Amino acid sequence: MEHLLELQNIVVRFALRFGDLTAVDDVSFTLDRGDRMGLVGESGAGKSVTGFSIIGLISRPGYIASGRILFEGTDLAHLNEEALRNIRGNRISMIFQDPMMTLNPVLTIGTQMTETLQAHMDITDEEAAAMAVDRLRMVHIPSPEKRLNQYPHEFSGGMRQRIVIAIALLMDPALIIADEPTTALDVTIQAEILDLLLELCATGKTGLILITHDLAVVSQVTDKITVMYAGRIVEMGSTDTIIHDPRHPYTQGLINALPGSRHTGSRLNQIPGMMPNLLTIPPGCSFHPRCPFMMDICTKQAPRLKYYKEHERQISCFLMENQNKGSI
Amino acid sequence: MNDKKPLLEVNNLIKHFDISGGVLDRLTLEKMRIRMKKTVVHALNDVSFSIFQGETFSVVGESGCGKSTLGRAIVRLYPIDKGSIYYCGDRIDTKDSRAMLPYRSKMQMVFQDPYASLNPRMKVEQTLMEPMLFHNPSMSMGEARDNVAAVMEQVGVDPGWASRYPHEFSGGQRQRISIARALMVEPEFIIADEPISALDVSIQAQILNLFMDAQDDRGLTYLFITHDLSVVKHISTRVAVMYLGTICELAHKAPLFAHPRHPYTQALLSAIPILGFRKSRHIRLKGEVPTPIELPSGCVFHKRCPFAFERCFNEVPKLSERDSGTFVACHGVEEGKI
Ligand SMILES: Nc1ncnc2c1ncn2[C@@H]1O[C@H](COP(=O)(O)OP(=O)(O)O)[C@@H](O)[C@H]1O
Ligand SMILES: Nc1ncnc2c1ncn2[C@@H]1O[C@H](COP(=O)(O)OP(=O)(O)O)[C@@H](O)[C@H]1O
Ligand code: SF4
Ligand SMILES: [Mg+2]
Ligand SMILES: [Mg+2]
């Protein structure tokens, strides 16, 4: 069956003065309609670059070095800018951490929504306004008709993010990519935005990629998780199995480092060191300098992401290879 | 609270910021008459609490509720409008800067952004030595160097890197250096304002461990400011929950998380995402946090409170003791309705 989205061995590089930096290294995954996937990892892991690559927002000095991005059967990695623009904001919408990445401060939100609609559809101003009001209502903005005439600065941060989601919904996209959508918001507002994302996906028509560093947030919303470290996927599977029984030493480290995972007041399990600078990625498994289970082979050879039936997920780690027979 | 003498005592603290701007910004026409308008941010409104030796006292609340203002007012980075602050029984808010000197080494502050708070043109060694030599002018260079190396070791930064500049360190390392700087003067009390909020999860754990270790080794007392409730749950002894410049609930950690009493605390705690536990419902509050420029009458929370009744619109509820050690500012709780 054809997937909604299929990334095949995507490599994204940045051509810098001192050489090429590989920000995304051989990333593959699939997403179907109604799937909600969390893309997690620490800052610099390559989460945003992965998201940007899907909607063709990698710009110089960055480039997609290899791989395919099949979306509804079309390879987005090899599409020209005009065709991509047609897909962005139409079939695929993106929500950023900062709502002002999407909103234009000098236009009313009504104008912005109407313009987006009319860029993709041949409809009158009245029809566009009616659709805009409908979407604002979906994200629970009170008295949306009046709100159309207001400017972004007249809304609070939480409302702005809801308006961004309303804009993302205008064209009934098949895929929404939300990059840290609640990171800048207070917890009570975050809880509302997460409810909203869940509500929108409940129809089963839309796929969601939720990019975040916050595992607790991911566990509220998603049904599968992809964990990235230094540009590579280290573990990928259902949210429940990964959160309750992480297998990759990095995922284990991340979960055990959370304050909630230990007796209150006791020392936290810390992962020693920090994620490498992508220009100086260690040879072999890039996690080996921080890994408590590091073996000789880990320093020499890079493990491959393989499916382990008994763990119902994909893992990239020699520990697994030694214990079980994985398949690619 | 208890019979111990408090290390820090804050009474009825009020701090307003006048943001009226220049004369022209302030002129308004009202009923055909020109008037001067004053715009005031009510950042802290009658805040009182005590902190005891050796405890970690956390202040939580959503952005803009006055947490940073409170921390800065205590170390006198901001002058206060009303109220009093006592340190070990001595009133410090009225002291001049000379009389304040000994307290400046006893109380130290650590900020969220270690890069902004470290001088980029100073080597780590200079950064660490400066406050120590300032407070101990007679110390020899050799002794100062030894102290710097010892503290760097303690916070987990290689002393061999003492002659490097802040930009050569990662965010986590820089936060270790700002903690080291605070420790250089042998403080008793540290105010940490969102010290791990800018850091990655695995680094947050390292820095929290550092705070807990330093407390064990040196018997430190902390005022820990954060919006991250899972961190609060882990490290605190007692917790004060703030809303719009007011403390709405103050309690020991365990009862606060198990049985939040104030309607705002209940809503706040219900909104925390918990790892691996999908919430069916959280308490949804009406509307949004009002601006501290036009403070609501009565209880500052009444416009959003699901329990608000007549009295809440007019009368400011006092923070008063409900169960032993649990203080709540709510008419509904006081009257046994909540
Ligand atoms: N415009 C750019 N120029 C150079 N390098 C970049 C650029 N954008 C991202 N990178 C590199 O790609 C890596 C991954 O970045 P990103 O995907 O933003 O991480 P994440 O979203 O996981 O925090 C970063 O370490 C950074 O070095
Ligand atoms: N220097 C200042 N001048 C004017 N207003 C300020 C200043 N510092 C803080 N405020 C205002 O005071 C209120 C409380 O701010 P703050 O203490 O920073 O909150 P928090 O740290 O809880 O996010 C906010 O409304 C903020 O805008
Ligand atoms: S005092 Fe009234 S309005 Fe305020 S929290 Fe209690 S019940 Fe709600
Ligand atoms: Mg990112
Ligand atoms: Mg603050």
Side-chain angles (χ1 to χ4, degrees):
Chain A
M1 199 196 79
E2 185 184 282
H3 297 289
L4 172 64
L5 176 72
E6 180 167 5
L7 264 66
Q8 296 176 346
N9 312 97
I10 284 295
V11 176
V12 182
R13 296 209 168 99
F14 289 89
L16 304 179
R17 259 184 304 138
F18 18 85
D20 270 18
L21 171 156
T22 305
V24 173
D25 193 2
D26 197 20
V27 162
S28 306
F29 60 78
T30 62
L31 193 84
D32 292 314
R33 278 165 213 282
D35 279 358
R36 304 180 305 267
M37 184 183 94
L39 197 52
V40 303
E42 294 177 279
S43 55
K47 307 182 295 295
S48 296
V49 171
T50 302
F52 288 168
S53 72
I54 297 169
I55 53 169
L57 283 185
I58 304 288
S59 53
R60 289 221 235 167
Y63 62 101
I64 297 180
S66 58
R68 304 206 304 162
I69 300 172
L70 299 175
F71 173 74
E72 296 184 320
T74 312
D75 182 6
L76 304 185
H78 298 95
L79 218 53
N80 64 35
E81 175 54 29
E82 195 189 325
L84 275 169
R85 214 176 304 133
N86 226 340
I87 289 175
R88 272 202 299 269
N90 183 6
R91 304 301 301 147
I92 306 179
S93 288
M94 186 135 184
I95 300 166
F96 301 96
Q97 173 173 341
D98 178 0
M100 295 314 286
M101 292 270 286
T102 309
L103 299 174
N104 184 332
V106 300
L107 297 179
T108 65
I109 61 156
T111 307
Q112 300 187 46
M113 295 181 85
T114 309
E115 278 181 0
T116 305
L117 283 164
Q118 290 177 337
H120 297 289
M121 281 161 95
D122 188 17
I123 53 173
T124 66
D125 288 356
E126 287 72 32
E127 286 166 329
M131 284 180 74
V133 165
D134 174 69
R135 301 304 190 276
L136 288 174
R137 197 165 279 136
M138 281 174 76
V139 299
H140 312 295
I141 298 279
S143 32
E145 294 86 353
K146 289 188 202 131
R147 293 300 202 159
L148 283 184
N149 300 317
Q150 292 187 306
Y151 292 88
H153 75 262
E154 297 177 70
F155 296 88
S156 68
M159 280 181 115
R160 272 182 227 147
Q161 196 60 298
R162 276 191 266 166
I163 290 167
V164 166
I165 296 177
I167 292 177
L169 295 175
L170 280 172
M171 300 300 300
D172 292 323
L175 173 63
I176 297 177
I177 303 173
D179 190 353
E180 307 271 2
T182 61
T183 303
L185 302 175
D186 279 320
V187 282
T188 56
I189 301 161
Q190 164 171 282
E192 283 173 24
I193 298 286
L194 296 180
D195 278 357
L196 198 58
L197 288 176
L198 265 177
E199 220 172 276
L200 300 174
C201 296
T203 58
K205 284 188 293 192
T206 315
L208 173 72
I209 298 179
L210 177 64
I211 298 175
T212 174
H213 69 283
D214 190 329
L215 283 162
V217 162
V218 151
S219 77
Q220 300 299 299
V221 176
T222 64
D223 46 32
K224 58 196 239 193
I225 293 185
T226 298
V227 185
M228 287 183 77
Y229 185 80
R232 294 181 194 156
I233 295 177
V234 295
E235 185 162 6
M236 179 157 69
S238 88
T239 302
D240 286 345
T241 52
I242 291 190
I243 295 289
H244 292 117
D245 179 30
R247 284 287 154 176
H248 192 283
Y250 175 64
T251 320
Q252 290 175 348
L254 267 189
I255 290 176
N256 292 335
L258 293 174
S261 66
R262 300 275 296 165
H263 258 300
T264 67
S266 56
R267 285 186 111 258
L268 295 164
N269 289 308
Q270 56 187 51
I271 308 177
M274 56 181 184
M275 199 165 72
N277 175 329
L278 294 186
L279 284 169
T280 53
I281 293 185
C285 170
S286 49
F287 187 60
H288 85 251
R290 305 176 74 187
C291 183
F293 309 108
M294 190 257 288
M295 300 168 291
D296 208 30
I297 184 174
C298 310
T299 63
K300 300 191 176 102
Q301 212 178 311
R304 300 184 64 179
L305 189 67
K306 291 182 186 168
Y307 182 77
Y308 294 93
K309 200 163 162 219
E310 63 280 32
H311 299 308
E312 299 171 2
R313 75 191 90 172
Q314 298 184 59
I315 307 164
S316 166
C317 175
F318 286 118
L319 278 178
M320 296 296 136
E321 295 202 11
N322 286 356
Q323 289 160 12
N324 317 276
K325 279 267 161 294
S327 60
I328 296 179
Chain B
M1 252 173 232
N2 69 32
D3 304 330
K4 275 193 296 181
K5 261 192 19 204
L7 184 72
L8 182 85
E9 196 181 330
V10 171
N11 298 314
N12 308 100
L13 202 63
I14 293 181
K15 172 67 193 166
H16 292 170
F17 294 102
D18 187 337
I19 53 163
S20 310
V23 174
L24 286 179
D25 299 330
R26 305 170 64 164
L27 294 179
T28 58
L29 202 61
E30 219 171 83
K31 297 202 182 109
M32 300 309 282
R33 299 171 82 166
I34 292 178
R35 305 193 56 179
M36 288 289 268
K37 191 183 57 162
K38 204 172 163 188
T39 313
V40 169
V41 179
H42 302 258
L44 296 174
N45 309 298
D46 199 15
V47 170
S48 305
F49 59 89
S50 297
I51 298 181
F52 297 97
Q53 155 70 37
E55 77 172 328
T56 300
F57 185 92
S58 293
V59 176
V60 292
E62 298 181 279
S63 52
C65 71
K67 304 181 296 294
S68 297
T69 306
L70 178 63
R72 286 158 181 256
I74 291 169
V75 295
R76 307 255 324 257
L77 282 172
Y78 290 152
I80 60 174
D81 294 81
K82 283 209 182 82
S84 57
I85 303 170
Y86 291 85
Y87 189 84
C88 285
D90 297 330
R91 183 156 182 185
I92 57 169
D93 59 294
T94 48
K95 286 196 193 307
D96 62 24
S97 52
R98 262 188 69 139
M100 202 46 207
L101 255 188
Y103 299 94
R104 292 215 180 281
S105 63
K106 288 178 183 158
M107 292 195 263
Q108 287 289 309
M109 193 147 177
V110 175
F111 297 93
Q112 169 171 356
D113 180 357
Y115 203 61
S117 63
L118 295 175
N119 184 338
R121 281 179 298 277
M122 265 198 205
K123 291 175 181 169
V124 167
E125 187 174 62
Q126 285 171 282
T127 296
L128 296 183
M129 238 180 232
E130 196 183 47
M132 182 174 54
L133 292 176
F134 178 76
H135 288 285
N136 312 279
S138 58
M139 188 179 279
S140 75
M141 233 16 213
E143 196 183 343
R145 285 233 162 78
D146 289 347
N147 283 345
V148 165
V151 173
M152 284 182 77
E153 189 94 47
Q154 193 189 354
V155 300
V157 180
D158 182 354
W161 287 41
S163 52
R164 300 203 182 196
Y165 291 92
H167 71 89
E168 298 177 70
F169 293 86
S170 68
Q173 295 281 61
R174 285 199 287 261
Q175 195 57 293
R176 288 175 193 273
I177 294 165
S178 18
I179 293 169
R181 185 181 52 181
L183 295 178
M184 287 315 299
V185 295
E186 307 263 328
E188 301 165 345
F189 178 51
I190 292 182
I191 298 180
D193 188 356
E194 306 269 9
I196 59 164
S197 304
L199 305 174
D200 269 318
V201 180
S202 75
I203 312 297
Q204 284 190 350
Q206 296 175 1
I207 300 296
L208 280 178
N209 282 342
L210 178 54
F211 271 106
M212 291 189 285
D213 292 347
Q215 184 167 45
D216 286 347
D217 293 348
R218 298 163 174 258
L220 290 168
T221 306
Y222 291 136
L223 172 59
F224 205 93
I225 296 172
T226 176
H227 67 278
D228 187 333
L229 289 146
S230 59
V231 171
V232 169
K233 192 171 182 178
H234 193 79
I235 61 160
S236 316
T237 314
R238 289 187 305 144
V239 184
V241 182
M242 284 184 73
Y243 183 82
L244 269 185
T246 335
I247 294 182
C248 51
E249 184 160 358
L250 194 170
H252 279 93
K253 170 182 63 189
L256 184 99
F257 279 91
H259 308 288
R261 304 289 303 271
H262 194 283
Y264 176 67
T265 317
Q266 292 175 352
L268 186 67
L269 297 189
S270 83
I272 316 175
I274 296 172
L275 186 74
F277 176 73
R278 200 161 286 172
K279 293 240 182 95
S280 47
R281 284 221 72 76
H282 58 93
I283 301 170
R284 280 175 187 240
L285 295 173
K286 297 178 272 197
E288 317 232 332
V289 184
T291 99
I293 293 170
E294 285 148 61
L295 220 52
S297 64
C299 171
V300 284
F301 187 57
H302 84 249
K303 289 192 171 145
R304 310 182 69 199
C305 180
F307 306 101
F309 57 105
E310 190 70 30
R311 202 177 155 199
C312 311
F313 308 149
N314 310 310
E315 189 188 330
V316 179
K318 289 209 167 53
L319 191 66
S320 57
E321 191 159 9
R322 299 264 63 92
D323 310 319
S324 136
T326 296
F327 295 75
V328 186
C330 169
H331 298 309
V333 170
E334 188 192 301
E335 295 186 16
K337 294 179 176 174
I338 299 171

